[in-house]
Amino acid sequence: MPKQKTKKAIAKRFRRTGTGKLLRSRGGKSHLATSKTRKRKRNLRRAKVVTPDLVSRKFSAMLGK
């Protein structure tokens, strides 16, 4: 049986931590930044952990891990 290919769209948007959790980047950074506070823009730079549920397991399969 051949290996499962990695879904490149998922691989570009998510990355795996050392403990196996998925990280995603936050949206809302690209434009209209002047109306957002400095604190809000700073927090948008940080990655968010995807909740460990069915979606996370589906993405794990798509990442080929």
Side-chain angles (χ1 to χ4, degrees):
M1 183 139 172
K3 291 183 181 178
Q4 184 178 1
K5 287 187 175 180
T6 301
K7 301 279 193 245
K8 292 300 182 180
I10 300 285
K12 290 172 190 172
R13 289 166 175 81
F14 295 90
R15 68 180 193 269
R16 172 112 16 221
T17 64
T19 57
K21 295 176 186 172
L22 285 176
L23 291 177
R24 67 170 176 87
S25 60
R26 295 170 186 252
K29 299 181 296 237
S30 57
H31 67 287
L32 298 175
T34 53
S35 62
K36 294 168 186 150
T37 63
R38 187 178 296 179
K39 178 182 177 181
R40 186 170 159 195
K41 288 185 281 190
R42 184 171 60 245
N43 288 333
L44 284 174
R45 285 199 298 261
R46 293 191 292 181
K48 178 82 174 161
V49 177
V50 177
T51 54
D53 59 352
L54 182 65
V55 175
S56 180
R57 278 180 272 154
K58 282 184 181 177
F59 286 170
S60 297
M62 290 182 196
L63 283 168
K65 309 264 175 154

